[in-house]
Amino acid sequence: MNQSQSIERTALSNLISNEDYARKVIPFLKGDYFKVREERIVFEEIQKFVDKYKKIPTKTALEIEVENRKDLNQDDHDKIVKLITSLDSTNVDLEWLLDTTEKFCKDKAIYNAIVEGVEIIDGKDKKRTPDAIPDILTDALAVSFDNSVGHDYLADGQQRYDYYHKKEEKIPFDLEFFNKITKGGLPPKTLNIALAGTGVGKSLFMCHVASSCLAQGKNVLYITMEMAEEKIAERIDANLMNVEIQNLPQLPKMMFNDKLTQIRKKTSGKLIIKEYPTASAHSGHFRGLIKELAIKKSFKPDIVFIDYLNICASSRFKGGANINSYTIIKSIAEELRGLAVETNVPFMSATQTTRTGFVSSDIGLEDTSESFGLPATADLMFALISTEALEEIGQMQVKQLKNRYNDPSMNKRFVVGVDRSKMRLYDVESQAQEGIVDNGQEKLNREFDEPSFGKDTKDKKYERFSKLKV
């Protein structure tokens, strides 16, 4: 008897003698995991008995059920009855047995998936094409025991209390009001969306936040579907090097290298910028990129930026299909949020306003272009609003549209300073917020309040919030 068979026999023995084990593993075991026909038939009879009577069968019950089968000859019947008789209860550790059975299921699922793939390639499977192989392998790799059947409100009270007092890992902003509305930054497994019109500053905002994350020593993945990799890097250069973007080409090579060296010394993080053609890449491509970076560069992102969501493709709907924009954009948002959960990092992206939203000074959720399904999926959504009056004083208004982290009625609107020449955002002095105060708006933390804060001293203020800037 080989190791695989011994695991199978041990599993069958415990399925009729250990009810805790049986209830935990039967939902995950499959008949085709058992290579020997007699063992597969015994498992199928155990499974049918449990499904029907909600209890584990005795040996006698199994023998009677086998006796009633019409698809067995006398030789098959004798072998199966002999197997049932040989199944003795074993005194083994339940946790070990569960782990061993889970590994057995995973190994068998992957083996069966490879066999199915070969049959499809050889043309033996007439119902499926090679396009089905990735899904078959994905399902096999996903096999896992999940013994949780939900949160027991009364029994799991202590677990819930610990959750309330657990400090969540977040990636903070270097902008005070954004930290206020998110209670300290962006948590993992979330999709966060900036809504703005063309030219208002979607990419500027994301490049600034990406620079800030790198300054904190985080690994940043910036995926661009709109601008070239070099253009994104140019904006981040202007931000981190404290050089106006139009003056970057005039920097002497030695000075440029010196500034880059200073940045490298002051951060333990990495920034990877990857460009895809517009509307050509979807969450599947991004998932592959993250895996490839892990293998080739030992790089695992702490935050991912997608510039921007509306010009991504959907992995579920093919381009050119007769599908409305609501479904497409909602699908893209769901896929990106799913990838955020899978990779356990926050995703930041952006979307366009409608034509009416572009000229509006009071953008709402209804001004989201193409699909109202996007705000339904996002965890945080805010509008970036720019008017001629705000442009003149170097400011941009932010309006909360949806917020799962905090009460969106608090600090619903606020302004941040904008230095477009250096692709930066910065906190303005508290007096700048007074004209747009909503009910319940909080003041800026006085710890950061200085008389010199404001538009005319933005470099001094900005450098104070980020030690990386050179």
Side-chain angles (χ1 to χ4, degrees):
M1 184 182 298
N2 61 34
Q3 183 183 11
S4 175
Q5 287 177 319
S6 68
I7 294 173
E8 294 168 4
R9 295 290 176 93
T10 302
L12 291 175
S13 295
N14 281 272
L15 285 175
I16 63 172
S17 62
N18 188 330
E19 189 163 351
D20 286 342
Y21 173 79
R23 292 192 182 280
K24 288 176 180 178
V25 305
I26 279 183
F28 306 100
L29 281 170
K30 293 182 180 180
D32 57 8
Y33 292 170
F34 294 85
K35 186 177 180 181
V36 179
R37 183 167 180 260
E38 305 91 78
E39 294 172 345
R40 182 166 61 251
I41 290 173
V42 170
F43 169 73
E44 290 171 352
E45 292 301 330
I46 294 173
Q47 188 179 47
K48 285 191 291 185
F49 190 96
V50 171
D51 287 344
K52 184 173 182 179
Y53 298 104
K54 312 305 179 189
K55 61 177 68 175
I56 58 177
T58 63
K59 290 184 182 180
T60 303
L62 281 179
E63 291 176 7
I64 293 173
E65 291 297 327
V66 170
E67 185 74 33
N68 293 331
R69 288 183 67 125
K70 306 298 183 184
D71 58 339
L72 303 175
N73 57 38
Q74 189 60 43
D75 186 49
D76 291 335
H77 175 269
D78 292 344
K79 287 181 180 179
I80 294 170
V81 171
K82 183 179 178 180
L83 171 60
I84 294 172
T85 304
S86 70
L87 297 178
D88 293 324
S89 59
T90 54
N91 186 20
V92 295
D93 181 76
L94 179 59
E95 185 177 353
W96 172 86
L97 185 57
L98 288 171
D99 289 342
T100 305
T101 307
E102 181 176 20
K103 184 178 184 303
F104 163 73
C105 291
K106 287 181 177 180
D107 292 345
K108 285 295 182 181
I110 293 171
Y111 174 82
N112 291 345
I114 293 172
V115 171
E116 288 181 49
V118 172
E119 290 179 349
I120 292 171
I121 292 172
D122 290 345
K124 295 178 182 178
D125 188 330
K126 305 298 182 182
K127 296 181 180 179
R128 293 179 289 185
T129 66
D131 291 338
I133 294 176
D135 289 336
I136 294 171
L137 290 172
T138 299
D139 291 343
L141 291 168
V143 169
S144 175
F145 286 10
D146 182 1
N147 296 320
S148 172
V149 291
H151 178 81
D152 188 321
Y153 178 78
L154 296 177
D156 297 335
Q158 185 60 48
Q159 178 184 338
R160 191 164 63 251
Y161 179 85
D162 293 340
Y163 169 78
Y164 293 154
H165 294 82
K166 180 182 177 182
K167 186 175 181 181
E168 190 174 24
E169 290 291 330
K170 294 185 176 184
I171 297 184
F173 293 89
D174 63 348
L175 299 166
E176 183 69 7
F177 267 107
F178 274 99
N179 281 330
K180 283 182 178 291
I181 67 174
T182 58
K183 290 187 175 179
L186 298 178
K189 303 181 182 181
T190 57
L191 178 63
N192 308 276
I193 301 293
L195 170 66
T198 302
V200 171
K202 297 187 298 296
S203 296
L204 184 154
F205 176 85
M206 288 198 288
C207 284
H208 172 85
V209 178
S211 301
S212 169
C213 293
L214 182 61
Q216 300 172 45
K218 304 296 185 183
N219 285 338
V220 181
L221 175 58
Y222 197 111
I223 297 172
T224 173
M225 315 280 289
E226 187 175 36
M227 288 188 288
E229 295 170 357
E230 296 79 9
K231 287 294 184 182
I232 297 296
E234 181 183 39
R235 291 173 171 225
I236 293 174
D237 275 339
N239 185 295
L240 293 178
M241 294 182 178
N242 193 27
V243 176
E244 293 186 359
I245 193 167
Q246 65 269 24
N247 293 334
L248 281 172
Q250 280 74 51
L251 272 184
K253 185 175 183 179
M254 184 177 294
M255 183 180 294
F256 179 87
N257 288 338
D258 285 345
K259 287 181 176 290
L260 196 60
T261 300
Q262 291 180 51
I263 294 171
R264 189 180 292 113
K265 288 179 179 178
K266 294 179 180 179
T267 181
S268 58
K270 293 182 180 179
L271 170 63
I272 302 293
I273 305 168
K274 174 62 178 176
E275 176 189 2
Y276 288 98
T278 301
S280 68
H282 52 63
S283 60
H285 296 95
F286 307 152
R287 181 181 292 106
L289 172 63
I290 291 171
K291 291 179 179 178
E292 189 175 3
L293 287 171
I295 295 170
K296 293 182 177 179
K297 288 183 172 287
S298 299
F299 174 91
K300 181 184 181 301
D302 295 306
I303 185 169
V304 178
F305 293 84
I306 309 287
D307 192 2
Y308 61 96
L309 186 144
N310 292 60
I311 51 178
C312 293
S314 168
S315 62
R316 289 180 284 179
F317 300 103
K318 301 299 182 184
N322 187 23
I323 301 170
N324 58 62
S325 61
Y326 173 92
T327 303
I328 289 286
I329 301 301
K330 188 174 189 296
S331 173
I332 294 170
E334 290 170 346
E335 291 159 13
L336 291 182
R337 192 177 188 282
L339 185 56
V341 172
E342 182 181 325
T343 54
N344 194 34
V345 300
F347 272 47
M348 170 68 74
S349 191
T351 188
Q352 293 272 24
T353 59
T354 58
R355 283 177 293 178
T356 55
F358 178 70
V359 297
S360 173
S361 60
D362 188 22
I363 296 174
L365 284 176
E366 69 279 3
D367 295 309
T368 308
S369 67
E370 298 185 276
S371 175
F372 200 73
L374 173 54
T377 307
D379 295 282
L380 172 69
M381 192 163 179
F382 54 89
L384 302 175
I385 303 169
S386 181
T387 64
E388 289 186 7
L390 287 170
E391 280 284 341
E392 287 179 5
I393 58 175
Q395 292 179 359
M396 179 187 296
Q397 185 180 141
V398 181
K399 178 185 176 184
Q400 291 191 69
L401 303 177
K402 179 184 179 181
N403 192 340
R404 287 177 175 165
Y405 315 136
N406 207 344
D407 181 357
S409 66
M410 300 294 291
N411 306 308
K412 188 173 184 63
R413 303 169 188 267
F414 55 91
V415 294
V416 293
V418 185
D419 183 357
R420 295 185 183 274
S421 66
K422 295 181 180 177
M423 295 294 146
R424 291 179 174 177
L425 302 175
Y426 57 92
D427 286 325
V428 297
E429 57 189 26
S430 58
Q431 289 86 344
Q433 310 290 349
E434 293 176 359
I436 57 168
V437 169
D438 291 2
N439 289 334
Q441 175 129 26
E442 300 172 1
K443 298 291 185 182
L444 273 173
N445 189 332
R446 303 312 299 175
E447 177 186 348
F448 299 103
D449 190 19
E450 290 184 357
S452 58
F453 282 8
K455 178 176 181 297
D456 296 333
T457 58
K458 51 184 172 281
D459 286 345
K460 180 179 177 182
K461 166 66 179 64
Y462 188 78
E463 288 165 9
R464 191 172 166 209
F465 273 92
S466 174
K467 297 179 181 178
L468 181 64
K469 307 302 181 286
V470 295

